[in-house]
Amino acid sequence: MTNKKQNAKKEEPIILVTNDDGVAAAGIRNLVEAVRGLGKIVVVAPDKPQSGMGHAITIGHPLRLYEVELFEGVRAFSCSGTPVDCVKLAVDKILHRKPDICVSGINHGANHSINVIYSGTMSAAMEAAIESIPAVGFSLLDYGAEPDFSASRQYARLIVEKMLRKKLPQHFLLNVNIPKASPEQLKGYKICKQAYAKYQEKFIERKDPHGRNYYWLTGEFVNFDKSKDTDVWALANNYVSVVPVEFDLTDYGLKQKLEKDWGESK
């Protein structure tokens, strides 16, 4: 009987929780609560907001880790680096092994369509997937000062439960976005493709008190993809969007065309 209990304890999955909004952000507190009880949770997250950092890593500067007491019954660490740094340090210096799953978020703001490229939330999850750790990034489309994470908690738990249920393919990675809505208003989730949508950007030019120019990036989000199987469509229609993502950026169709049209250099 004792051996069985010991084996069960050993098999408890380790869940690495991270984000890009900072270790003290409301989103990561809600994500910890969403997955509580599904495994042994360890939090490693940036010590300050790192939104828009993409897949940046820290080179040429030391990284620092501090253990913090922010989550009851959960070991948590504040990292001076980027979201990707957090995942790397968690695996090498804190866990000393790969976790069974990595969950990132819950981001305070959208990470659908082209945002996945810029997102620190998704880059942390992607770094885990590169290391063959099943990973998912969660984002809530609410930019208010006090967002309601209740629906996000519900769907984060549902999706993590599904991920833990059976062995997943190597480099498994999901980008999950949740509309600004109550759990009762949501229609469920949809497996989607990433929409071709982007920001039409411009820089506002101003002068500082010394007469020198400075610039503020502004822009309008424009959806060029009107099909009904995209993350943008799903979110606009009160569905949680679930997009499978890969980090291999090779255009295989163009590769085949170039091989045919260009051949190989002699």
Side-chain angles (χ1 to χ4, degrees), residues 146-213:
E146 296 184 0
D148 179 2
F149 286 97
S150 55
S152 299
R153 288 196 305 272
Q154 176 180 317
Y155 279 90
R157 187 175 185 88
L158 172 66
I159 288 168
V160 171
E161 284 177 336
K162 287 180 177 293
M163 290 174 65
L164 289 171
R165 205 164 288 164
K166 61 181 182 179
K167 186 174 176 62
L168 296 170
Q170 192 177 31
H171 311 310
F172 183 96
L173 176 59
L174 297 178
N175 181 21
V176 177
N177 282 263
I178 302 99
K180 181 182 178 181
S182 68
E184 295 74 28
Q185 291 171 319
L186 291 181
K187 300 174 184 175
Y189 64 77
K190 276 192 177 295
I191 311 300
C192 307
K193 71 176 185 179
Q194 176 183 316
Y196 174 50
K198 62 186 287 291
Y199 284 92
Q200 299 282 49
E201 296 170 337
K202 65 177 181 178
F203 287 89
I204 296 174
E205 183 176 328
R206 295 175 180 169
K207 290 189 182 296
D208 67 17
H210 300 284
R212 295 174 300 207
N213 291 342

Side-chain angles (χ1 to χ4, degrees), residues 208-226:
D208 67 17
H210 300 284
R212 295 174 300 207
N213 291 342
Y214 70 94
Y215 304 90
W216 279 106
L217 176 62
T218 64
E220 179 185 2
F221 186 75
V222 181
N223 180 23
F224 300 98
D225 191 337
K226 303 304 180 184

Side-chain angles (χ1 to χ4, degrees), residues 240-261:
V240 173
S241 67
V242 180
V243 178
V245 178
E246 60 182 357
F247 49 81
D248 181 353
L249 301 181
T250 306
D251 184 333
Y252 287 97
L254 182 56
K255 176 178 176 289
Q256 289 182 343
K257 179 172 172 47
L258 292 177
E259 286 170 342
K260 180 180 177 182
D261 294 348

Side-chain angles (χ1 to χ4, degrees), residues 10-28:
K10 286 179 183 176
E11 291 170 3
E12 183 181 31
I14 295 178
I15 302 172
L16 173 62
V17 181
T18 189
N19 74 347
D20 74 352
D21 286 330
V23 71
I28 199 168

Side-chain angles (χ1 to χ4, degrees), residues 23-69:
V23 71
I28 199 168
R29 291 200 306 272
N30 279 273
L31 186 52
V32 167
E33 291 308 312
V35 300
R36 194 180 284 276
L38 298 181
K40 179 182 177 182
I41 301 169
V42 178
V43 175
V44 185
D47 60 4
K48 56 186 173 296
Q50 298 276 350
S51 295
M53 289 298 290
H55 215 90
I57 58 173
T58 301
I59 297 174
H61 298 281
L63 290 170
R64 300 189 185 277
L65 275 175
Y66 299 98
E67 190 158 5
V68 293
E69 294 185 7

